[in-house]
Amino acid sequence: MGDLVLLETEIRPVMTQLIEGGLEVTAVHNHLLRATPATFYLHVGGHGDPLKLATAIHDALAVSKTPLVVSPAAASAAIDLDTAQLDQIIGVKGQNNGGVYAFAVPRRDPVSEGGMEISPAGPMGLAQGINFQPTGGGKAAITGDFALTSDEVNPVIKALLTNGIEVTAVHSHMLDEQPRLFFLHFWANDDALKLARGLRAALDKTASGKS
């Protein structure tokens, strides 16, 4: 499972190639507002021989402008933020992901699909994904998504809006997961510690992190 980031004109040919390759399309939508150029996220699911699945994904990406040549991994850029404070506020240890300070906060409840638990939650897209990109002077642009049960959606929206964090999308990413999850995407650019406290307030409305 996962998602492909596409331009509008790439959606139909990529979707067609995915279906022909035996994969499922589970969602198509935006994650961001005001992006230039506009980007759309095509979510996919599949189960079977890993080489066949990989080939289907490769063939689908080949009809887009996604680069398929692997470039040497760049050294992680320094992060001009108080990461120790961010760790303390969010409640888990973040990671430097190419100059972006990234958190994956797992839900306490297991999530299954087709009768099988989806694990590990972070790499499979089921953790609360939170990313801080430094923008100077202790500020950061934040984006990511919360994986929420239906009763958590509006309490999280209220917590984010109260703390100056914009909600950019709410939707599903999968077809038959249990419990049913909704993915809420967010954006802000402000003092990093202030935003972290706002995100912590939202996390406190969810079954995430330490009980």
Side-chain angles (χ1 to χ4, degrees), residues 15-16 35 45 48 60 62 67 73 77 85 110-111 115 138 142 178 185 193 200 207-208 210:
M15 184 182 293
T16 300
Q85 274 284 88
V111 178
I142 59 167
Q178 295 296 326
H185 300 263
L193 299 182
R200 182 66 254 174
S208 298
K210 297 180 180 179

Side-chain angles (χ1 to χ4, degrees), residues 110-190:
V111 178
S112 63
E113 189 166 25
M116 183 178 68
E117 182 176 343
I118 302 174
S119 180
M124 294 299 285
L126 297 180
Q128 321 295 15
I130 297 172
N131 302 289
F132 287 77
Q133 181 175 357
T135 55
K139 292 185 176 182
I142 59 167
T143 190
D145 58 0
F146 285 76
L148 305 172
T149 54
S150 60
D151 59 315
E152 295 171 339
V153 171
N154 278 282
V156 168
I157 289 175
K158 291 175 184 177
L160 292 173
L161 294 179
T162 298
N163 287 279
I165 300 171
E166 182 179 32
V167 175
T168 60
V170 181
H171 45 226
S172 59
H173 285 182
M174 296 176 285
L175 297 177
D176 60 359
E177 76 283 359
Q178 295 296 326
R180 194 79 175 102
L181 295 178
F182 298 86
F183 291 79
L184 184 153
H185 300 263
F186 58 87
W187 169 266
N189 183 13
D190 203 339

Side-chain angles (χ1 to χ4, degrees), residues 1 3 11 17-18 27 33 36 55 70 83 89 93 105 107 112 144 154 160-161 188 194 200 202-203:
M1 63 184 294
D3 54 1
I11 294 173
Q17 197 67 44
L18 289 170
L33 303 176
T36 304
T55 299
V70 178
T83 56
I89 295 169
K93 174 69 176 172
V105 185
R107 294 185 61 84
S112 63
N154 278 282
L160 292 173
L161 294 179
K194 171 188 171 183
R200 182 66 254 174
L203 287 168

